[in-house]
Amino acid sequence: MTKFGSPYLLPRKEMPMRYLPAIVVALVSIMAASPACAQRMAGFADIAAKGNVLELRVPLWMNGTMRAGPALTGRVRRKSLGASEALTLFGISIGGAERFGRFTFEAEGPAVDGKLSGDCIYDRTERRLGIGSFTISEPRRPLLLRCRFLRAGQVVGTLRLEAEAGTGAIAQPAHRIGRVKLGDKTVTIRSEHYLQGARVPTELPVGYRVADADTDEVIGAVDLTDFSRRVIALPTSNSARPVSLVASIALAVFWDPGDTDD
């Protein structure tokens, strides 16, 4: 596994995040486990019915093991960082914050046809205006996630995921959209912000839909409603399954830092 501190992630000022992703997602997980919230992402059941389902156990905290039965085992390492600055004058503060990090994973087993590793970095920045205890935040540079997938040290695929700039509408989350390439096969990914039966979207994604880049047909999905147990729907097609799986693994272990700290 590639060590943290490689040139792939440029060195920056390091400090604890204002809100640790582990705390945020743990609270979301507790809420999702309650009777009122125990449900999958919208549309997951229909997508899963067309293919196969794989349950992936991922680390509860920053680092640890992941497993999908005998089909896949591996390890995950995560590092979430942040930097912020502000100028305060007459009780008014103007500044910004940046949230960035890196995670890597190694997967082994028949599901990934041997051994596969991923090396990912992400970054987003925001503007902040504070008056007393009241703070207004807005994205300055939306979230960008990039991954390289490797076999035997050679890059065999890539992932690029970006948050939309946003519409400015109230209660409308910024979707994450992107593309994943593995070998000669490409799929698109788009975040899902609705739980099954819900009328109000969530701020952070509750899952992702995976579609064939050539036909736009949805062929897979990854459900994120359980923090430590991700459920992945995979296509039966031999050509589309590997890229769908590697995309789902990366999304399953990624801790989304959100659009702003507020």
Side-chain angles (χ1 to χ4, degrees):
M1 179 179 290
T2 306
K3 293 183 179 180
F4 290 105
S6 115
Y8 188 48
L9 179 62
L10 296 178
R12 308 193 189 202
K13 181 181 179 182
E14 181 176 334
M15 63 179 292
M17 290 187 67
R18 185 178 177 188
Y19 300 112
L20 288 174
I23 296 175
V24 175
V25 292
L27 290 174
V28 171
S29 177
I30 293 171
M31 293 176 62
S34 68
C37 300
Q39 58 205 86
R40 296 269 180 239
M41 61 168 266
F44 183 85
D46 293 335
I47 300 170
K50 300 177 183 178
N52 305 126
V53 174
L54 190 69
E55 183 179 288
L56 180 66
R57 298 274 183 166
V58 298
L60 184 62
W61 304 114
M62 298 294 284
N63 308 320
T65 60
M66 63 178 179
R67 175 180 293 275
L72 184 149
T73 59
R75 293 194 59 82
V76 179
R77 296 185 67 196
R78 305 180 179 110
K79 195 168 187 178
S80 299
L81 308 171
S84 48
E85 58 183 3
L87 174 65
T88 302
L89 188 64
F90 303 118
I92 300 175
S93 65
I94 301 174
E98 181 177 21
R99 303 303 168 202
F100 52 93
R102 182 176 178 201
F103 62 93
T104 62
F105 66 84
E106 289 180 339
E108 182 175 2
V112 291
D113 192 25
K115 293 184 179 181
L116 181 75
S117 63
D119 188 359
C120 306
I121 58 173
Y122 61 90
D123 180 272
R124 60 95 168 153
T125 62
E126 65 182 274
R127 299 183 183 90
R128 301 181 62 82
L129 173 65
I131 303 176
S133 60
F134 182 72
T135 303
I136 300 174
S137 303
E138 66 172 1
R140 179 175 177 271
R141 186 172 67 245
L143 173 72
L144 172 62
L145 167 67
R146 291 170 291 165
C147 297
R148 303 181 302 174
F149 305 118
L150 305 96
R151 289 188 190 276
Q154 299 297 313
V155 176
V156 294
T158 58
L159 177 152
R160 183 181 178 90
L161 181 73
E162 298 180 76
E164 294 179 323
T167 62
I170 297 176
Q172 289 300 314
H175 285 88
R176 282 88 169 96
I177 54 176
R179 297 175 70 87
V180 186
K181 180 179 175 61
L182 188 69
D184 58 358
K185 187 66 177 178
T186 302
V187 295
T188 60
I189 47 179
R190 182 177 177 84
S191 60
E192 173 61 61
H193 295 261
Y194 280 89
L195 291 167
Q196 189 68 45
R199 296 184 178 182
V200 179
T202 60
E203 180 181 357
L204 292 181
V206 294
Y208 286 85
R209 295 171 182 262
V210 180
D212 188 293
D214 296 323
T215 64
D216 289 332
E217 177 188 4
V218 176
I219 57 175
V222 53
D223 180 278
L224 306 179
T225 55
D226 187 316
F227 178 47
S228 64
R229 185 177 58 205
R230 309 307 203 184
V231 184
I232 299 170
L234 295 169
T236 57
S237 166
N238 290 333
S239 63
R241 187 180 179 92
V243 65
S244 298
L245 177 58
V246 73
S248 296
I249 293 174
L251 296 170
V253 300
F254 171 47
W255 282 355
D256 193 320
D259 300 312
T260 66
D261 287 354
D262 296 324

